[in-house]
Amino acid sequence: MRDTYHEGLDSLSDRLVEMTRLARHAIARATTALLDADLNAAQEVISGDEELNRLDEEIETTAFDLMARQQPVATDLRTIITSLHMAGDLERMGDHAVHIAKIARRRHPDSAIPAELRSIVLEMGHQAELLVVKAGDVVRNRDADTALELDADDDRMDRLRRKLLKRILDPGWSHGVEATMDVTLAGRFYERFGDHAVHVADNLVYMVTGEKPKDYEPEV
């Protein structure tokens, strides 16, 4: 019975890591769809979100089953509860990738991103991938020290969004209301994707240490 119990706990981590892999693929393909007006990529992201949702549901089912049957306490209970929170964040990261893909689909066959903003959006896409890959690594390795780095990594995403908004608000902006809305929404979805990656890392810190990130002091 205890072997089955620990297998259930381990499966939570395995599924979370798989969710980070899927979220990375989704945001990468969504960026391709957005910049290249790639309808196939957009559809791939939208249909692929079902797998992220399925894993989220599996984690919820396993977590509730472990709590009901095993009545875990202390570290094990913390692992289960934080896994539920992390799964929720990863599921929402997939949703944000879907929102970006839908912008691309709505503007097809044109690109939703004006040429002069492509480099900024491409950077945002790359930063989103970096964040979710790092989140996956810290979950896989239960690495609380590296998890603390994601907050600073996310600052770059915030700077890129501000740069995007500054360009839209420039008096020389001449691309109209639709492009303004598309770029504003896309920037917001990338920013929220990054925020959820930070939430995953913060929960990992609490899972491993029992402390909130602001209270945890890494060993020197």
Side-chain angles (χ1 to χ4, degrees):
M1 180 66 75
R2 299 303 294 177
D3 286 344
T4 302
Y5 171 59
H6 288 292
E7 285 174 5
L9 285 174
D10 290 342
S11 76
L12 295 176
S13 177
D14 292 342
R15 289 189 178 106
L16 287 170
V17 171
E18 176 64 7
M19 288 183 79
T20 65
R21 187 190 69 79
L22 292 172
R24 179 196 183 181
H25 181 74
I27 199 66
R29 295 297 285 159
T31 302
T32 296
L34 191 63
L35 293 176
D36 298 344
D38 187 328
L39 188 59
N40 289 333
Q43 288 297 143
E44 180 184 338
V45 175
I46 294 165
S47 61
D49 192 51
E50 292 181 7
E51 181 66 9
L52 267 169
N53 293 339
R54 183 186 66 78
L55 286 168
D56 181 36
E57 291 172 1
E58 285 184 3
I59 287 172
E60 182 176 297
T61 298
T62 300
F64 289 159
D65 183 69
L66 288 169
M67 287 190 286
R69 294 175 181 272
Q70 303 295 333
Q71 298 180 337
V73 295
T75 302
D76 288 349
L77 181 59
R78 196 165 68 234
T79 295
I80 292 168
I81 297 300
T82 52
S83 292
L84 284 169
H85 288 307
M86 287 190 278
D89 279 306
L90 288 161
E91 188 274 331
R92 284 187 284 278
M93 290 166 77
D95 290 343
H96 291 312
V98 168
H99 294 325
I100 292 169
K102 286 182 176 179
I103 293 172
R105 186 176 67 177
R106 188 164 60 246
R107 298 301 171 216
H108 184 268
D110 299 320
S111 172
I113 306 300
E116 65 265 33
L117 299 182
R118 289 175 61 85
S119 62
I120 300 175
V121 173
L122 182 61
E123 278 190 73
M124 295 183 85
H126 288 165
Q127 189 65 15
E129 288 188 63
L130 181 153
L131 285 162
V132 71
V133 167
K134 201 165 189 177
D137 288 343
V138 301
V139 171
R140 180 186 298 106
N141 300 320
R142 297 175 65 88
D143 185 348
D145 291 357
T146 301
L148 293 175
E149 298 175 3
L150 267 83
D151 191 45
D153 292 338
D154 188 49
D155 289 343
R156 177 164 178 75
M157 181 72 85
D158 295 336
R159 289 194 298 271
L160 287 167
R161 181 170 183 251
R162 288 194 295 271
K163 185 176 180 181
L164 203 63
L165 293 176
K166 184 178 179 181
R167 297 287 291 274
I168 295 170
L169 295 172
D170 187 278
W173 176 258
S174 60
H175 295 285
V177 174
E178 284 189 350
T180 301
M181 291 299 296
D182 288 342
V183 172
T184 301
L185 287 171
R188 177 60 173 161
F189 295 141
Y190 279 114
E191 181 192 42
R192 291 300 295 146
F193 186 98
D195 289 344
H196 286 297
V198 174
H199 294 166
V200 170
D202 286 348
N203 273 292
L204 185 281
V205 172
Y206 181 66
M207 175 195 286
V208 172
T209 70
E211 298 182 57
K212 298 293 185 181
K214 64 182 178 63
D215 300 322
Y216 172 61
E217 293 292 337
E219 295 184 6
V220 178

